[in-house]
Amino acid sequence: MTSPLVDSPADAPPLADSDVRLTDGASDAARVLRRVFGYESFRDGQQEIIDHVVGGGDALVLMPTGGGKSLCYQIPALVRPGTGVVVSPLIALMQDQVDALRALGVRAGFLNSTQEFDERREVESAFLAGELDLLYLAPERLRVDATVTLLDQGTIALFAIDEAHCVAQWGHDFRPDYLLLSELRERWPDVPTVALTATATPATHTEITSRLGLEGARHFVADFDRPNIQYRIVSKKEPKAQLLALLRAEHTGDAGIVYCLSRSSVEKIAEFLVANGIAALPYHAGLDARTRAEHQARFLREDGIVMVATIAFGMGIDKPDVRFVAHLDLPKSVEGYYQETGRAGRDGLPSTAWLAYGLQDVVQLRKLIDASAGDLTHRRRLSAHLDAMLALCETVECRRTGLLAYFGQQRTAPCGNCDTCLTPPRTWDGTIAAQKLLSAVLRLQRERRQKFGAGHLVDILLGRKTAKVIQRDHDTLKVFGVGTELGEPEWRGVVRQLLVQGLLAVEGEHGTLVLTDTSADVLRGQRTVLMRREPEPAARAASTSTGTAASAGTATSAGTAASKGTRSRRVAVAELSEEAMPVFERLRAWRAAVAKEQGVPAYVIFHDATLREIASRPPATLAELSTISGVGEHKLARYGQQILDTLAE
Ligand code: ADP
Ligand code: ZN
């Protein structure tokens, strides 16, 4: 596609202006929802927000990924006179976003640095002529005076600030260009502004409000729960094998994202998966822009690609059918974890968020924080973020409860769809183990003036006569061999949990372990230490043999039942019947061909959920087809007959 403004191919009837743009009040929003988007009803919160913005109000919208934020500004932009200006940092995705809108018959365009002069001119003149419903804008465009002048000359229906958390320095994804956005309020005080984000702790929330000058805005905070995502956090043993077992047992042929911390591990894991017959691609900032764009496009356009990536990948990716997000390294914050895992299952179908973490992650991240450039406040902030993430990993309570509490949302009942709910970990009194380990640290420090990392300490406790032990005469220490009641993985678990509880600390670039102010309480027996039992053999079994069963039946239905009991949110759809399956596959093949021909992602044509519904209750007429969710007027006119033909085959 050369220009976002080239009209739809000839087989699509052009929509007259009045078809999309309706102007007689709030009920218009419902009509646009039905006619343009093909949806029957609003989701929780959408209607209130849309009514408020249509009426000219400012809004701050906090809604989880997949909650349906886009409609909250797209519909008001269609209902109000003028163009909705959407500020988004996601330049690489603007083309897809605009294509998706144009596939609905909405007049959309974008302005960013990737465009040729001519393309930009075309968008600008369409805007000035009042022929755009939505204009996507990269924030750095606002540095250019010409952009501001342009906006001054047109009619603006509203400003939408997407990924609004990028304005917050407290958050995890700060973009300096977002600070320019404060000028919008000053320059166009009468244009309603809606800021939207999927990640906001109370601190970030407050910062967004003040930096965007939205003190007078109404706040809409949706339920942050993503009931269809199953959260699982396991301890890292052989990460590659653990990952492969997960993919083979539960996610064969599924699209997913695997996050790693470093570029080199991205490369290694991608190669490993490919060698094992999985369609995986690497993505990190070290690849040249063309390769990155190509890999991203393949991930979006093809079915079943696994993207192995650093966190540079994924923001704003609105691929609805990402079935799993796996982390092979510990995210630096709960906000980051929530946002990254949130990329799974936007379509509401069951999805997995799986994280493997180990002692080394903790040591590594602590070292990075110590070595980081910022001032003390900055380092404290990073450290606080990490502590919260670790607390989530080591909790014996429901993961979802912990996650939501971090975003200030309380829930009382456990979710039934996370690992701690499904296979409750037991706690054990680890006081004696803690005393043994801490006293080993203490003795080395006092008696020998030496400090060591976890590996050597564990060797000492297990009574292993390694070269290092012999050479340093550590087999004469009183603690040598006193810890044989636990194995090495358990001892590493003890170290990790002491670190998380602040009873032990990591120091310096070698990651040596030292006592903290509170260690003495444990050593003196004034404090008991509860620990999470490593669900070792059980976890291994779950990830191989019982894995499939769990994902197909037990686990999901347990989760569904529990979430039904406690909340009213939409729940995953049922499996397709045996007759429907081949129909669904045929529709997917048809969709793939159409998408390829147009050079757009498959979901731009129709979502999986829509094709599933068509396959489950095949319509005989266009009128019947139009009642299916996701089939709006434009798509009905354009693809309706082709769908009926495909069904008739
Ligand atoms: P977000 O931006 O909050 O992550 P999106 O706006 O991309 O979420 O919406 C997520 C998915 O839900 C999209 O596929 C969208 O088309 C769909 N959706 C949004 N609102 C509705 C609705 N009222 N009815 C049915 N589907 C909806
Ligand atoms: Zn739970």
Side-chain angles (χ1 to χ4, degrees):
M1 189 147 295
T2 49
S3 153
L5 282 179
V6 176
D7 210 343
S8 319
D11 64 336
L15 274 188
D17 202 10
S18 59
D19 275 311
V20 169
R21 187 175 295 281
L22 303 149
T23 43
D24 60 344
S27 66
D28 289 346
R31 279 166 65 201
V32 172
L33 178 76
R34 222 161 286 141
R35 297 180 58 183
V36 178
F37 295 91
Y39 297 142
E40 257 332 284
S41 53
F42 286 110
R43 285 192 187 151
D44 280 358
Q46 282 177 329
Q47 171 128 43
E48 253 188 303
I49 298 165
I50 290 169
D51 288 350
H52 179 70
V53 178
V54 167
D58 294 332
L60 175 57
V61 175
L62 311 183
M63 213 186 246
T65 307
K69 282 185 288 301
S70 326
L71 291 191
C72 298
Y73 58 84
Q74 288 169 348
I75 292 184
L78 288 169
V79 173
R80 286 176 61 88
T83 306
V85 176
V86 186
V87 180
S88 163
L90 311 167
I91 297 178
L93 296 171
M94 282 184 183
Q95 181 76 63
D96 283 350
Q97 286 173 320
V98 163
D99 285 346
L101 284 165
R102 291 166 50 77
L104 296 167
V106 175
R107 303 167 310 169
F110 65 81
L111 291 174
N112 69 33
S113 54
T114 67
Q115 279 166 312
E116 299 291 327
F117 178 75
D118 285 350
E119 249 178 285
R120 193 175 304 158
R121 280 300 289 274
E122 209 177 328
V123 178
E124 288 173 0
S125 49
F127 170 73
L128 292 175
E131 289 163 3
L132 276 189
D133 301 314
L134 281 154
L135 173 64
Y136 285 75
L137 206 63
E140 66 272 13
R141 285 281 105 200
L142 294 169
R143 284 194 194 285
V144 185
D145 285 341
T147 311
V148 177
T149 315
L150 175 81
L151 293 181
D152 258 339
Q153 291 167 347
T155 310
I156 303 174
L158 56 88
F159 287 110
I161 316 292
D162 207 3
E163 312 288 352
H165 62 277
C166 292
V167 79
Q169 266 151 345
W170 162 263
H172 62 289
D173 211 3
F174 174 61
R175 309 261 173 136
D177 276 333
Y178 259 57
L179 295 178
L180 298 168
L181 298 179
S182 61
E183 290 168 22
L184 296 182
R185 298 299 297 150
E186 286 158 27
R187 204 173 173 97
W188 291 278
D190 299 328
V191 176
T193 297
V194 44
L196 311 100
T197 176
T199 49
T201 54
T204 306
H205 187 153
T206 310
E207 210 182 332
I208 295 174
T209 310
S210 67
R211 290 206 190 269
L212 292 178
L214 285 175
E215 287 83 1
R218 237 182 101 180
H219 292 198
F220 297 89
V221 184
D223 186 343
F224 264 52
D225 188 15
R226 302 284 313 279
N228 60 312
I229 298 183
Q230 183 174 98
Y231 296 100
R232 280 148 57 180
I233 302 180
V234 304
S235 76
K236 198 193 282 189
K237 289 168 197 119
E238 302 149 51
K240 281 188 193 159
Q242 286 172 290
L243 175 67
L244 190 62
L246 172 79
L247 300 197
R248 291 216 167 128
E250 302 177 39
H251 290 290
T252 344
D254 284 346
I257 307 175
V258 178
Y259 282 113
C260 306
L261 207 54
S262 75
R263 297 173 187 185
S264 71
S265 48
V266 164
E267 295 283 352
K268 275 187 220 133
I269 298 292
E271 276 170 30
F272 167 77
L273 291 179
V274 170
N276 282 280
I278 290 168
L281 294 170
Y283 188 105
H284 57 72
L287 295 170
D288 62 84
R290 247 188 63 201
T291 311
R292 280 208 310 271
E294 187 195 311
H295 288 186
Q296 175 171 308
R298 285 193 56 193
F299 177 73
L300 293 175
R301 282 163 176 68
E302 294 174 26
D303 284 326
I305 301 269
V306 175
M307 191 69 116
V308 185
T310 55
I311 53 166
F313 177 74
M315 185 163 54
I317 293 283
D318 46 13
K319 185 175 170 63
D321 57 353
V322 176
R323 289 275 69 85
F324 66 90
V325 169
H327 281 92
L328 285 180
D329 292 300
L330 191 66
K332 295 190 184 78
S333 68
V334 176
E335 280 184 285
Y337 171 73
Y338 178 79
Q339 194 175 64
E340 285 144 31
T341 53
R343 290 166 191 152
R346 291 170 93 111
D347 54 11
L349 302 180
S351 308
T352 310
W354 181 89
L355 158 67
Y357 99 110
L359 179 56
Q360 206 45 44
D361 290 306
V362 185
V363 174
Q364 174 83 9
L365 286 181
R366 289 257 184 255
K367 278 197 286 190
L368 283 178
I369 291 173
D370 278 350
S372 83
D375 55 11
L376 186 63
T377 329
H378 179 66
R379 286 202 299 277
R380 286 223 176 101
R381 186 155 65 199
L382 295 178
S383 198
H385 279 311
L386 178 59
D387 288 343
M389 187 63 224
L390 289 169
L392 183 67
C393 291
E394 296 293 353
T395 186
V396 289
E397 318 264 307
C398 170
R399 305 268 189 214
R400 197 178 309 269
T401 304
L403 198 52
L404 292 174
Y406 188 74
F407 294 106
Q409 302 195 341
Q410 305 304 329
R411 54 178 290 156
T412 44
C415 77
N417 193 27
C418 72
D419 55 354
T420 58
C421 283
L422 292 168
T423 41
R426 279 167 303 160
T427 47
W428 58 291
D429 184 343
T431 312
I432 294 189
Q435 285 169 340
K436 287 178 179 174
L437 194 117
L438 295 177
S439 92
V441 175
L442 183 70
R443 278 175 191 280
L444 283 166
Q445 218 168 314
R446 282 237 183 102
E447 296 170 14
R448 314 280 173 103
R449 312 234 157 266
Q450 292 168 342
K451 294 175 191 168
F452 292 92
H456 185 62
L457 283 162
V458 172
D459 284 342
I460 292 173
L461 291 170
L462 290 175
R464 289 174 172 162
K465 298 201 173 185
T466 63
K468 197 165 166 183
V469 165
I470 304 286
Q471 189 192 357
R472 299 181 185 248
D473 210 15
H474 286 168
D475 50 349
T476 60
L477 286 167
K478 227 184 134 194
V479 288
F480 185 76
V482 297
T484 48
E485 73 278 18
L486 298 180
E488 169 153 0
E490 288 78 21
W491 276 116
R492 297 185 83 85
V494 169
V495 176
R496 216 172 58 214
Q497 299 188 60
L498 289 175
L499 285 172
V500 171
Q501 297 184 31
L503 296 170
L504 192 62
V506 175
E507 191 188 71
E509 61 178 296
H510 298 296
T512 50
L513 299 175
V514 293
L515 300 185
T516 68
D517 296 343
T518 43
S519 307
D521 298 345
V522 179
L523 284 166
R524 279 192 228 111
Q526 289 165 348
R527 175 167 171 171
T528 45
V529 188
L530 280 187
M531 295 202 180
R532 185 179 214 276
R533 159 110 44 214
E534 300 288 304
E536 248 220 276
R540 195 159 291 161
S543 65
T544 51
S545 56
T546 61
T548 321
S551 78
T554 13
T556 335
S557 51
T560 310
S563 45
K564 249 188 214 144
T566 52
R567 51 202 326 104
S568 62
R569 281 280 294 278
R570 75 208 134 93
V571 175
V573 302
E575 283 296 302
L576 284 172
S577 70
E578 248 174 63
E579 308 86 79
M581 202 62 195
V583 183
F584 176 62
E585 289 305 334
R586 238 177 21 244
L587 290 166
R588 285 218 321 174
W590 165 80
R591 180 182 68 179
V594 177
K596 191 159 183 207
E597 186 188 302
Q598 293 183 24
V600 298
Y603 64 80
V604 166
I605 311 296
F606 283 115
H607 286 181
D608 273 6
T610 303
L611 295 190
R612 279 169 163 271
E613 203 178 324
I614 297 176
S616 302
R617 44 182 193 102
T621 62
L622 288 175
E624 276 174 48
L625 178 59
S626 76
T627 65
I628 283 175
S629 179
V631 184
E633 286 182 357
H634 196 74
K635 287 189 178 175
L636 182 71
R638 189 161 180 191
Y639 303 121
Q641 195 52 50
Q642 293 182 47
I643 294 220
L644 295 182
D645 293 347
T646 308
L647 290 173
E649 260 169 36

